[in-house]
């Protein structure tokens, strides 16, 4: 009697009995969709962190010089001999403090330390001094691969540019005539792209007689490109360097500052073949 009254639950729901895992499959599909998005975000964040240089040890002065000369020879076929290099090799590349990360917010502090006790007189004062500080002749030029990146770096220089604003030396939304007008005043720091900087030098609006240091932005974007590897911009930079800066570097009157990690350092998944061809 008891066996006829007690029935197994499966008999009441034959459809569920035939498909016991139907609900589980739906849950698995939902979990799979959610797992895809974070993977892309994590890769993107990792690239951005690497490109700011916060996770990498800064290269020594000799390592930076070797890297720079290799890029120079590869780009324009100019080889610096040991005889030419010997008098200037210890001072032509600026070795930045290891106590500060080489990111946007610390740029002003790094440059300030490079000038020691003369930083205020060289970088902050806003009056032209006849025979000493001519209009349109900056002490520092920051060179980067894009207008947007130039603006980012200018924010890191705010502490130095209150008395004498830094000049935007790029073409996006800025006419040459406007920049020529601004260069008729004292300029301590300029930040821009290679093509516009060279154009302003060519028309003799931007002077380099007072120029003491060029800061080369080594920031690498999410696609793996930097000032030294981005097509066209790379060529424009080396044209600018060869024409306007190289001789002064060899004479010891101009210092090079590589700010951030060198382009070959970040390990990116994409554009590997492109970087190998360009490095």
């Amino acid at each position: 009697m008891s066996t006829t009254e007690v029935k197994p639950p499966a008999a009441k729901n034959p459809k569920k009995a035939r498909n016991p895992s139907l609900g589980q499959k739906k849950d698995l599909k939902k979990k799979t969709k959610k797992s895809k998005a974070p993977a892309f975000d994590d890769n993107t964040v990792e690239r951005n962190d690497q490109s700011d240089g916060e996770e990498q040890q800064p290269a020594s002065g000799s390592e930076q010089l070797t890297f720079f000369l290799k890029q120079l020879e590869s780009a324009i076929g100019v080889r610096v001999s040991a005889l030419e290099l010997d008098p200037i090799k210890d001072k032509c590349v600026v070795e930045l403090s290891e106590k500060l990360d080489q990111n946007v917010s610390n740029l002003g502090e790094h440059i300030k330390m490079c000038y020691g006790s003369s930083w205020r007189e060289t970088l902050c004062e806003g009056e032209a001094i006849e025979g000493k500080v001519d209009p349109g002749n900056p002490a520092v030029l920051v060179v980067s691969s894009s207008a947007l990146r130039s603006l980012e770096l200018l924010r890191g220089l705010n502490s130095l540019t209150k008395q004498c604003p830094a000049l935007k030396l790029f073409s996006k939304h800025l006419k040459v005539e406007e920049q020529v007008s601004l260069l008729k005043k004292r300029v301590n720091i300029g930040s821009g792209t290679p093509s516009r900087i060279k154009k302003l030098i060519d028309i003799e609006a931007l002077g380099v007689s007072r120029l003491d240091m060029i800061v080369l932005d080594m920031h690498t974007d999410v696609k793996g490109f930097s000032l030294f590897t981005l097509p066209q911009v790379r060529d424009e930079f080396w044209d600018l360097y060869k024409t306007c800066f190289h001789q002064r570097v060899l004479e010891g009157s101009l210092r090079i500052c590589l700010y951030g990690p060198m382009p070959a350092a970040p390990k990116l998944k994409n554009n590997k073949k492109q970087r190998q061809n360009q490095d």
Side-chain angles (χ1 to χ4, degrees):
M1 184 69 177
S2 59
T3 57
T4 57
E5 292 178 349
V6 179
K7 295 181 180 180
K12 294 182 181 180
N13 299 289
K15 292 183 179 179
K16 287 186 179 180
R18 287 195 299 268
N19 300 284
S21 61
L22 187 61
Q24 295 177 0
K25 288 181 179 179
K26 290 181 179 179
D27 291 339
L28 287 172
K29 288 181 180 179
K30 291 179 181 179
K31 290 179 181 178
T32 304
K33 289 180 180 178
K34 289 181 180 178
S35 65
K36 289 181 180 178
F40 176 80
D41 293 340
D42 290 344
N43 290 338
T44 305
V45 172
E46 183 181 356
R47 291 177 198 159
N48 288 336
D49 288 343
Q50 287 177 335
S51 62
D52 268 344
E54 296 177 0
E55 297 182 355
Q56 294 190 353
Q57 293 296 323
S60 66
S62 60
E63 289 172 336
Q64 292 181 64
L65 179 58
T66 300
F67 168 80
F68 183 79
L69 293 177
K70 180 181 177 182
Q71 295 294 316
L72 172 65
E73 183 179 358
S74 174
I76 55 179
V78 173
R79 186 176 183 85
V80 180
S81 68
L83 185 63
E84 291 176 302
L85 187 62
D86 189 61
I88 51 95
K89 64 182 179 182
D90 294 331
K91 61 180 180 180
C92 67
V93 171
V94 176
E95 194 163 358
L96 300 174
S97 171
E98 295 184 7
K99 296 180 181 180
L100 292 175
D101 290 332
Q102 292 181 31
N103 52 31
V104 170
S105 60
N106 289 331
L107 177 58
E109 193 62 27
H110 275 294
I111 293 179
K112 176 181 171 181
M113 287 191 287
C114 289
Y115 282 88
S117 59
S118 66
W119 69 270
R120 190 180 299 278
E121 177 186 353
T122 306
L123 304 171
C124 298
E125 293 183 7
E127 296 296 326
I129 304 173
E130 187 175 354
K132 185 177 180 182
V133 182
D134 294 328
N137 280 264
V140 176
L141 276 179
V142 182
V143 188
S144 52
S145 60
S146 69
L148 182 60
R149 182 63 181 171
S150 296
L151 286 173
E152 289 177 6
L153 292 169
L154 282 172
R155 287 198 292 272
L157 298 169
N158 283 340
S159 61
L160 302 176
T161 58
K162 294 177 181 178
Q163 295 180 39
C164 184
L167 200 59
K168 302 171 185 176
L169 302 173
F170 48 81
S171 58
K172 192 172 184 178
H173 306 308
L174 292 171
K175 295 181 179 179
V176 171
E177 293 77 15
E178 296 174 11
Q179 292 167 326
V180 169
S181 178
L182 292 171
L183 284 164
K184 292 179 179 178
K185 302 176 182 178
R186 173 168 172 164
V187 178
N188 295 326
I189 301 172
S191 177
T193 55
S195 59
R196 181 51 62 91
I197 291 174
K198 186 173 186 302
K199 183 175 182 64
L200 291 167
I201 292 174
D202 287 344
I203 64 174
E204 299 183 351
L206 177 64
V208 296
S209 61
R210 183 175 168 245
L211 189 61
D212 174 69
M213 181 166 65
I214 50 172
V215 179
L216 307 182
D217 178 32
M218 295 291 98
H219 169 80
T220 305
D221 64 24
V222 294
K223 293 183 179 179
F225 290 118
S226 73
L227 177 67
F228 283 1
T229 60
L230 185 62
Q232 186 176 343
V233 172
R234 174 180 183 261
D235 295 339
E236 291 169 349
F237 166 72
W238 288 114
D239 183 36
L240 168 67
Y241 175 82
K242 182 179 179 181
T243 305
C244 305
F245 303 145
H246 184 60
Q247 188 57 41
R248 297 194 62 212
V249 170
L250 293 180
E251 292 169 356
S253 60
L254 180 61
R255 297 180 290 169
I256 299 168
C257 173
L258 304 180
Y259 195 75
M262 293 180 289
K267 296 180 180 179
L268 301 176
K269 294 181 179 179
N270 298 325
N271 301 314
K272 287 184 179 179
K273 292 182 180 179
Q274 231 169 6
R275 292 201 315 276
Q276 288 173 357
N277 292 333
Q278 292 170 339
D279 287 347

